[in-house]
Amino acid sequence: MAVKDRDRFSTATRLRLLGEQTAARVYRSQTKRQARRSRLTGRAALLALVLCSLVVALAYPMRQYVSQRAEIADLRRQREQARERVEQLRDLKARWQDDAYAEQQIRRRLHYVRPGETGYVVIDPGAAKQSRADLGAAHRPWYANVWDGVDKSDASDQ
């Protein structure tokens, strides 16, 4: 037994036990690494590559599809507006076919009166003064108007 106890505490025995423990730790860490590495296999990488290429390949056609659908909706809206406008114009044409409506519009727009009636035109005094001022500037030469504009801007600076 003395020899067995001596072997148990000998340097060679201790080194051999230490080596076995170290080898067991390395083996455990390698199996953990392999377990972590095994999650991403070649098949998974290929599948990810195929999916990414499909996304890239379909991105532009999907964008075109969405923009074309929006354009179609816009054209439908314009078509409905055009139909409404055509209906309004048909109604207006039908009204103008009526002699009473045509006479009413002629009297209102052209200030026509029937024989024996007295026609009146009411003019806004402010509008008359403004139109006279515009006429005064219209009968003068253009360079006089330019010079007046320069004088007015010079007076506003002072």
Side-chain angles (χ1 to χ4, degrees):
M1 278 220 155
V3 174
K4 222 174 190 192
D5 285 340
R6 199 176 94 210
D7 280 344
R8 195 172 117 192
F9 295 111
S10 71
T11 306
T13 306
R14 280 194 241 157
L15 285 175
R16 187 172 38 99
L17 285 174
L18 188 61
E20 288 173 2
Q21 290 173 354
T22 307
R25 282 189 208 137
V26 168
Y27 178 73
R28 277 184 277 164
S29 68
Q30 283 178 351
T31 56
K32 287 180 184 176
R33 282 189 203 139
Q34 287 174 353
R36 278 188 240 139
R37 267 192 248 147
S38 65
R39 289 181 185 167
L40 182 62
T41 62
R43 287 182 184 173
L46 182 63
L47 179 64
L49 180 66
V50 168
L51 288 176
C52 288
S53 62
L54 282 175
V55 166
V56 168
L58 294 176
Y60 182 72
M62 285 304 293
R63 187 174 138 250
Q64 289 295 323
Y65 175 77
V66 169
S67 68
Q68 288 174 357
R69 295 305 298 173
E71 187 176 346
I72 288 170
D74 187 42
L75 289 173
R76 285 182 179 157
R77 184 184 50 78
Q78 288 178 3
R79 182 183 64 192
E80 288 302 317
Q81 288 176 349
R83 282 184 183 167
E84 289 173 6
R85 180 69 180 145
V86 166
E87 287 300 319
Q88 289 173 355
L89 291 174
R90 283 184 182 153
D91 291 343
L92 184 62
K93 181 181 175 185
R95 277 190 268 160
W96 275 101
Q97 298 298 324
D98 182 22
D99 291 336
Y101 179 78
E103 181 181 339
Q104 176 190 13
Q105 292 300 315
I106 290 170
R107 290 172 65 105
R108 185 176 65 85
R109 293 181 184 186
L110 301 176
H111 306 291
Y112 278 21
V113 291
R114 289 195 169 272
E117 293 179 349
T118 304
Y120 295 99
V121 177
V122 179
I123 298 176
D124 183 21
K129 289 179 185 176
Q130 182 182 9
S131 65
R132 281 191 213 122
D134 291 341
L135 286 175
H139 291 296
R140 295 175 26 188
W142 65 270
Y143 50 85
N145 292 334
V146 171
W147 192 252
D148 286 344
V150 171
D151 286 341
K152 286 180 186 176
S153 66
D154 189 37
S156 67
D157 288 343
Q158 294 174 357

